[in-house]
Every structure is written in C-alpha cells, then in structure tokens.
Amino acid sequence: MSLVKIKDAPTVWNYLNGVINVYKPAGLTVQQVRHTIIGNLCRDLNQLKVRPPLQRVAIERGLDSKFLVHKTEDLSDNVLVVGPRYQTEDIRMRMSANHGRLTSGVLVVGINKGLSMAYRIQQNRPLRVYRVTGFLGKATETHFGDSRVIGKATVKHIGSEKINRLLASLQASHQKKMFELCGVDMQSQAAYDLAVKGTIRPADKSQPMIYGIRLVEFRRPFFTLEMHAINETEAYIGNLVHEIGLNLKSVAHCVGIRCIRHGHFELGDALLRKDWNLQCILANMAHANQLLQRHPEMLQQTSSELVDLDENVPDLQLRNERE
C-alpha cells in the first residue's frame, strides 16, 4: 500500500487521537513536557493548509437605488485577528504516570480522545520497571544528588553479595505483604489460586509495592538496581535507596531514576525530545494503538487485584472455605 502525503490540517487533526510513548528527560517536570509537546503540535498543524476564513453576506447599495448582495471574507475570522487556527487550548493531554522532575524514561501520554485510554492504563496500574542508580558513602537532605550533603560513611566493607542478600530480603517482605493484605496465608491453596491469576495489585493507589528488585551493576561507590513496582513515587524510590544504605551499615543517596518499561510500552519505542513533532507523534500513536490491540489487558485488567481489607476479605475467606 502506497503512502499518501497529507497537507490538510483538519484531516491530520482527525487522526490526532490516541496514546503515545515519549521519553521524559531528567530535569523536566511532567507539566513542562506537556507544554512542549502541545506547543510543537500547534506549530506543525499551523504550518499545514488550514481552513480559509469564513465568508459573510454583504449588502451594498448599487446604481439606480439597487442593492448588491455578495459574499466577502469575514475579517473577524482572519488569522491576523483571531490568531493561529490551532492553539494550545485546543489540544487535550493526560499523563498515565506522574513522574518526578528527576525521573527520566518512558512516559505514556494520551492526546484528545486518547485521554480515556491513558486514564484506563493508569487505573489498571501495569508494572513499571526502573533502573535506579545510587551512590554509597554520602547522605543528602532529600535523598537525591541535587541537595545538600548531611552525612558521610565508609563503603569499603560493602560488596555485591551483601547488596544481593539485602535486596532478596526486601523482595520477599513485599511479596509476603501482598498476601497479608489479601488475608490469606502464603502457604495455603488460596494463596496459590490467587497468584496464578496474575500480578496481584493493591486496591489502594497510595500503597507502593515492589514485585522484583535486583542488582544489575556494582562499581563502588555506584550501584544500579532494576526494580519492578507499582504505585511508586520518586520520593519513595529515593527513600528506598537511603534505607538500603542504612541497612548496609553506611549511607546512600539516589543519583538517577530511569523508567525503562511501563506495561508493554518499552524504552526503545519512546520518542526522544528531538522527535516531539507532528509526524513522529502520529507514527508513534499508530504503533501504540497496535500495541494496545495486541495487549487489551492494559485497558481492561483481567488479572487478580487486591481489594479493600474491611469489605471484601471476609468474602474471600468464605470462598476459600467453600473450596
């Protein structure tokens, strides 16, 4: 099938509905990313062929007391009067993850009619995978490298084996906590039946949960972790790195957070900042729509999910007794 080059802005606007996968640079807030993308889209749309000004009916007096009726351009609809045809207020945008300023990586964005898709992805809370880099030996006020150093400690006694043991213990405690919130014993048949249904997700959006964490690189004093989690925040990850340093009989702070996957949206498909233009965004939107068609569970979750302890756990326990 041959490709057709479209220069008509209204036609392109009709296709500008869906979700895209962009790479958020560190140092930019989510709002700054939003303003940049919307500004680039408006710029590119206005460079295409936009609709002409509206016509109005004009009645003028002619010769012999006759009136002439004709159409003329409505100056109140001229771009020199009302401004560009496409303005920033015309484009709606929603982020499916609220990354912090220091976090970089995959960011799924819904545009126009794709707002509902971005909202459903956010509500289904698919796993996000991070590469977190920490620095051993220094503690800071905010647990990040851009704040004042408040403490120092030795790191010669820390090796990769100690970090691996600590991370294994941390992962096991979070896995145990998932089943405790469900009100079932980890060694029971009910826990097995719940686990085989898929990833267990907490109903409380404010409850961070780590599903996997491992050491991928250790170059003292730097170490890099790969973390699979949901409901996490930038502050939580920074505090986690700080706690890891304390448990290693030292101190640590976070120097980098990069999201490498959000559900099935991967880092390799994310649009870099230089590609935040209309053509690349439309191509990425088509790829994202195909991805969601192959993985509809991202929009409508079918795997197990934790429920409110007070209301639904008794029903779960009764169901387990019947089984």
PDB file of all heavy atoms in Angstrom, residues 176-196:
ATOM      1  N   LYS A 176       5.387 -11.102  50.688  1.00  0.00           N
ATOM      2  CA  LYS A 176       4.597 -11.568  51.832  1.00  0.00           C
ATOM      3  C   LYS A 176       3.507 -10.569  52.182  1.00  0.00           C
ATOM      4  O   LYS A 176       2.381 -10.939  52.531  1.00  0.00           O
ATOM      5  CB  LYS A 176       5.513 -11.800  53.031  1.00  0.00           C
ATOM      6  CG  LYS A 176       4.807 -12.344  54.256  1.00  0.00           C
ATOM      7  CD  LYS A 176       5.789 -12.580  55.391  1.00  0.00           C
ATOM      8  CE  LYS A 176       5.067 -13.118  56.631  1.00  0.00           C
ATOM      9  NZ  LYS A 176       6.013 -13.343  57.763  1.00  0.00           N
ATOM     10  N   LYS A 177       3.839  -9.284  52.049  1.00  0.00           N
ATOM     11  CA  LYS A 177       2.874  -8.241  52.390  1.00  0.00           C
ATOM     12  C   LYS A 177       1.663  -8.273  51.459  1.00  0.00           C
ATOM     13  O   LYS A 177       0.537  -7.991  51.878  1.00  0.00           O
ATOM     14  CB  LYS A 177       3.565  -6.871  52.315  1.00  0.00           C
ATOM     15  CG  LYS A 177       2.709  -5.715  52.778  1.00  0.00           C
ATOM     16  CD  LYS A 177       3.506  -4.429  52.725  1.00  0.00           C
ATOM     17  CE  LYS A 177       2.667  -3.252  53.221  1.00  0.00           C
ATOM     18  NZ  LYS A 177       3.438  -1.983  53.186  1.00  0.00           N
ATOM     19  N   MET A 178       1.881  -8.645  50.190  1.00  0.00           N
ATOM     20  CA  MET A 178       0.762  -8.713  49.246  1.00  0.00           C
ATOM     21  C   MET A 178      -0.308  -9.683  49.732  1.00  0.00           C
ATOM     22  O   MET A 178      -1.506  -9.383  49.728  1.00  0.00           O
ATOM     23  CB  MET A 178       1.266  -9.167  47.871  1.00  0.00           C
ATOM     24  CG  MET A 178       2.279  -8.271  47.226  1.00  0.00           C
ATOM     25  SD  MET A 178       2.878  -9.004  45.690  1.00  0.00           S
ATOM     26  CE  MET A 178       4.424  -8.125  45.462  1.00  0.00           C
ATOM     27  N   PHE A 179       0.129 -10.871  50.151  1.00  0.00           N
ATOM     28  CA  PHE A 179      -0.830 -11.890  50.593  1.00  0.00           C
ATOM     29  C   PHE A 179      -1.411 -11.548  51.962  1.00  0.00           C
ATOM     30  O   PHE A 179      -2.551 -11.903  52.256  1.00  0.00           O
ATOM     31  CB  PHE A 179      -0.153 -13.255  50.624  1.00  0.00           C
ATOM     32  CG  PHE A 179       0.217 -13.776  49.265  1.00  0.00           C
ATOM     33  CD1 PHE A 179       1.503 -13.627  48.779  1.00  0.00           C
ATOM     34  CD2 PHE A 179      -0.729 -14.378  48.455  1.00  0.00           C
ATOM     35  CE1 PHE A 179       1.848 -14.089  47.518  1.00  0.00           C
ATOM     36  CE2 PHE A 179      -0.396 -14.842  47.201  1.00  0.00           C
ATOM     37  CZ  PHE A 179       0.890 -14.696  46.729  1.00  0.00           C
ATOM     38  N   GLU A 180      -0.641 -10.859  52.808  1.00  0.00           N
ATOM     39  CA  GLU A 180      -1.185 -10.435  54.094  1.00  0.00           C
ATOM     40  C   GLU A 180      -2.332  -9.446  53.908  1.00  0.00           C
ATOM     41  O   GLU A 180      -3.332  -9.482  54.629  1.00  0.00           O
ATOM     42  CB  GLU A 180      -0.077  -9.822  54.947  1.00  0.00           C
ATOM     43  CG  GLU A 180       0.930 -10.831  55.478  1.00  0.00           C
ATOM     44  CD  GLU A 180       2.024 -10.176  56.283  1.00  0.00           C
ATOM     45  OE1 GLU A 180       2.102  -8.929  56.258  1.00  0.00           O
ATOM     46  OE2 GLU A 180       2.809 -10.902  56.930  1.00  0.00           O
ATOM     47  N   LEU A 181      -2.188  -8.547  52.924  1.00  0.00           N
ATOM     48  CA  LEU A 181      -3.265  -7.600  52.650  1.00  0.00           C
ATOM     49  C   LEU A 181      -4.507  -8.300  52.111  1.00  0.00           C
ATOM     50  O   LEU A 181      -5.626  -7.803  52.249  1.00  0.00           O
ATOM     51  CB  LEU A 181      -2.786  -6.543  51.654  1.00  0.00           C
ATOM     52  CG  LEU A 181      -1.752  -5.543  52.177  1.00  0.00           C
ATOM     53  CD1 LEU A 181      -1.287  -4.629  51.062  1.00  0.00           C
ATOM     54  CD2 LEU A 181      -2.311  -4.727  53.319  1.00  0.00           C
ATOM     55  N   CYS A 182      -4.300  -9.454  51.485  1.00  0.00           N
ATOM     56  CA  CYS A 182      -5.437 -10.238  51.000  1.00  0.00           C
ATOM     57  C   CYS A 182      -6.077 -11.067  52.109  1.00  0.00           C
ATOM     58  O   CYS A 182      -7.163 -11.605  51.932  1.00  0.00           O
ATOM     59  CB  CYS A 182      -4.983 -11.190  49.889  1.00  0.00           C
ATOM     60  SG  CYS A 182      -4.750 -10.361  48.315  1.00  0.00           S
ATOM     61  N   GLY A 183      -5.390 -11.210  53.235  1.00  0.00           N
ATOM     62  CA  GLY A 183      -5.920 -12.000  54.334  1.00  0.00           C
ATOM     63  C   GLY A 183      -5.767 -13.495  54.147  1.00  0.00           C
ATOM     64  O   GLY A 183      -6.554 -14.261  54.714  1.00  0.00           O
ATOM     65  N   VAL A 184      -4.774 -13.942  53.360  1.00  0.00           N
ATOM     66  CA  VAL A 184      -4.547 -15.376  53.146  1.00  0.00           C
ATOM     67  C   VAL A 184      -3.113 -15.711  53.538  1.00  0.00           C
ATOM     68  O   VAL A 184      -2.217 -14.860  53.519  1.00  0.00           O
ATOM     69  CB  VAL A 184      -4.804 -15.777  51.677  1.00  0.00           C
ATOM     70  CG1 VAL A 184      -6.253 -15.536  51.299  1.00  0.00           C
ATOM     71  CG2 VAL A 184      -3.880 -15.011  50.738  1.00  0.00           C
ATOM     72  N   ASP A 185      -2.911 -16.987  53.887  1.00  0.00           N
ATOM     73  CA  ASP A 185      -1.586 -17.480  54.252  1.00  0.00           C
ATOM     74  C   ASP A 185      -0.807 -17.804  52.976  1.00  0.00           C
ATOM     75  O   ASP A 185      -1.341 -18.397  52.034  1.00  0.00           O
ATOM     76  CB  ASP A 185      -1.723 -18.725  55.130  1.00  0.00           C
ATOM     77  CG  ASP A 185      -0.375 -19.216  55.650  1.00  0.00           C
ATOM     78  OD1 ASP A 185       0.628 -18.492  55.450  1.00  0.00           O
ATOM     79  OD2 ASP A 185      -0.331 -20.303  56.238  1.00  0.00           O
ATOM     80  N   MET A 186       0.486 -17.439  52.951  1.00  0.00           N
ATOM     81  CA  MET A 186       1.301 -17.686  51.771  1.00  0.00           C
ATOM     82  C   MET A 186       1.443 -19.176  51.462  1.00  0.00           C
ATOM     83  O   MET A 186       1.661 -19.569  50.318  1.00  0.00           O
ATOM     84  CB  MET A 186       2.702 -17.077  51.948  1.00  0.00           C
ATOM     85  CG  MET A 186       2.762 -15.584  51.740  1.00  0.00           C
ATOM     86  SD  MET A 186       4.451 -14.993  51.644  1.00  0.00           S
ATOM     87  CE  MET A 186       5.031 -15.813  50.173  1.00  0.00           C
ATOM     88  N   GLN A 187       1.305 -20.034  52.489  1.00  0.00           N
ATOM     89  CA  GLN A 187       1.481 -21.465  52.294  1.00  0.00           C
ATOM     90  C   GLN A 187       0.166 -22.186  51.997  1.00  0.00           C
ATOM     91  O   GLN A 187       0.143 -23.417  51.927  1.00  0.00           O
ATOM     92  CB  GLN A 187       2.114 -22.074  53.560  1.00  0.00           C
ATOM     93  CG  GLN A 187       3.418 -21.421  53.988  1.00  0.00           C
ATOM     94  CD  GLN A 187       4.488 -21.517  52.920  1.00  0.00           C
ATOM     95  OE1 GLN A 187       4.567 -22.513  52.208  1.00  0.00           O
ATOM     96  NE2 GLN A 187       5.302 -20.478  52.804  1.00  0.00           N
ATOM     97  N   SER A 188      -0.913 -21.439  51.799  1.00  0.00           N
ATOM     98  CA  SER A 188      -2.229 -22.049  51.611  1.00  0.00           C
ATOM     99  C   SER A 188      -2.545 -22.215  50.126  1.00  0.00           C
ATOM    100  O   SER A 188      -1.916 -21.599  49.251  1.00  0.00           O
ATOM    101  CB  SER A 188      -3.300 -21.205  52.289  1.00  0.00           C
ATOM    102  OG  SER A 188      -3.394 -19.938  51.678  1.00  0.00           O
ATOM    103  N   GLN A 189      -3.570 -23.031  49.861  1.00  0.00           N
ATOM    104  CA  GLN A 189      -4.042 -23.204  48.498  1.00  0.00           C
ATOM    105  C   GLN A 189      -4.674 -21.922  47.959  1.00  0.00           C
ATOM    106  O   GLN A 189      -4.588 -21.622  46.768  1.00  0.00           O
ATOM    107  CB  GLN A 189      -5.050 -24.358  48.451  1.00  0.00           C
ATOM    108  CG  GLN A 189      -5.638 -24.645  47.073  1.00  0.00           C
ATOM    109  CD  GLN A 189      -4.598 -25.145  46.086  1.00  0.00           C
ATOM    110  OE1 GLN A 189      -3.624 -25.792  46.503  1.00  0.00           O
ATOM    111  NE2 GLN A 189      -4.780 -24.854  44.807  1.00  0.00           N
ATOM    112  N   ALA A 190      -5.292 -21.153  48.854  1.00  0.00           N
ATOM    113  CA  ALA A 190      -5.914 -19.893  48.438  1.00  0.00           C
ATOM    114  C   ALA A 190      -4.867 -18.919  47.909  1.00  0.00           C
ATOM    115  O   ALA A 190      -5.116 -18.200  46.929  1.00  0.00           O
ATOM    116  CB  ALA A 190      -6.669 -19.272  49.614  1.00  0.00           C
ATOM    117  N   ALA A 191      -3.703 -18.879  48.525  1.00  0.00           N
ATOM    118  CA  ALA A 191      -2.633 -18.008  48.048  1.00  0.00           C
ATOM    119  C   ALA A 191      -2.150 -18.445  46.674  1.00  0.00           C
ATOM    120  O   ALA A 191      -1.877 -17.614  45.801  1.00  0.00           O
ATOM    121  CB  ALA A 191      -1.478 -18.007  49.048  1.00  0.00           C
ATOM    122  N   TYR A 192      -2.076 -19.759  46.462  1.00  0.00           N
ATOM    123  CA  TYR A 192      -1.656 -20.264  45.144  1.00  0.00           C
ATOM    124  C   TYR A 192      -2.680 -19.915  44.074  1.00  0.00           C
ATOM    125  O   TYR A 192      -2.326 -19.459  42.984  1.00  0.00           O
ATOM    126  CB  TYR A 192      -1.460 -21.780  45.211  1.00  0.00           C
ATOM    127  CG  TYR A 192      -1.186 -22.405  43.860  1.00  0.00           C
ATOM    128  CD1 TYR A 192       0.079 -22.335  43.283  1.00  0.00           C
ATOM    129  CD2 TYR A 192      -2.209 -23.044  43.149  1.00  0.00           C
ATOM    130  CE1 TYR A 192       0.312 -22.885  42.042  1.00  0.00           C
ATOM    131  CE2 TYR A 192      -1.980 -23.591  41.911  1.00  0.00           C
ATOM    132  CZ  TYR A 192      -0.710 -23.522  41.357  1.00  0.00           C
ATOM    133  OH  TYR A 192      -0.475 -24.063  40.118  1.00  0.00           O
ATOM    134  N   ASP A 193      -3.963 -20.112  44.395  1.00  0.00           N
ATOM    135  CA  ASP A 193      -5.018 -19.796  43.435  1.00  0.00           C
ATOM    136  C   ASP A 193      -5.030 -18.313  43.088  1.00  0.00           C
ATOM    137  O   ASP A 193      -5.323 -17.927  41.948  1.00  0.00           O
ATOM    138  CB  ASP A 193      -6.378 -20.205  43.993  1.00  0.00           C
ATOM    139  CG  ASP A 193      -6.497 -21.717  44.165  1.00  0.00           C
ATOM    140  OD1 ASP A 193      -5.743 -22.441  43.486  1.00  0.00           O
ATOM    141  OD2 ASP A 193      -7.322 -22.151  44.987  1.00  0.00           O
ATOM    142  N   LEU A 194      -4.700 -17.481  44.076  1.00  0.00           N
ATOM    143  CA  LEU A 194      -4.665 -16.039  43.834  1.00  0.00           C
ATOM    144  C   LEU A 194      -3.458 -15.660  42.980  1.00  0.00           C
ATOM    145  O   LEU A 194      -3.550 -14.798  42.100  1.00  0.00           O
ATOM    146  CB  LEU A 194      -4.623 -15.292  45.170  1.00  0.00           C
ATOM    147  CG  LEU A 194      -4.782 -13.770  45.131  1.00  0.00           C
ATOM    148  CD1 LEU A 194      -6.145 -13.384  44.583  1.00  0.00           C
ATOM    149  CD2 LEU A 194      -4.580 -13.180  46.517  1.00  0.00           C
ATOM    150  N   ALA A 195      -2.334 -16.334  43.201  1.00  0.00           N
ATOM    151  CA  ALA A 195      -1.109 -15.984  42.480  1.00  0.00           C
ATOM    152  C   ALA A 195      -1.165 -16.392  41.017  1.00  0.00           C
ATOM    153  O   ALA A 195      -0.630 -15.689  40.149  1.00  0.00           O
ATOM    154  CB  ALA A 195       0.095 -16.629  43.166  1.00  0.00           C
ATOM    155  N   VAL A 196      -1.808 -17.518  40.700  1.00  0.00           N
ATOM    156  CA  VAL A 196      -1.821 -17.996  39.323  1.00  0.00           C
ATOM    157  C   VAL A 196      -2.725 -17.136  38.435  1.00  0.00           C
ATOM    158  O   VAL A 196      -2.634 -17.224  37.208  1.00  0.00           O
ATOM    159  CB  VAL A 196      -2.285 -19.474  39.253  1.00  0.00           C
ATOM    160  CG1 VAL A 196      -1.314 -20.380  39.971  1.00  0.00           C
ATOM    161  CG2 VAL A 196      -3.694 -19.628  39.818  1.00  0.00           C
TER     162      VAL A 196
END
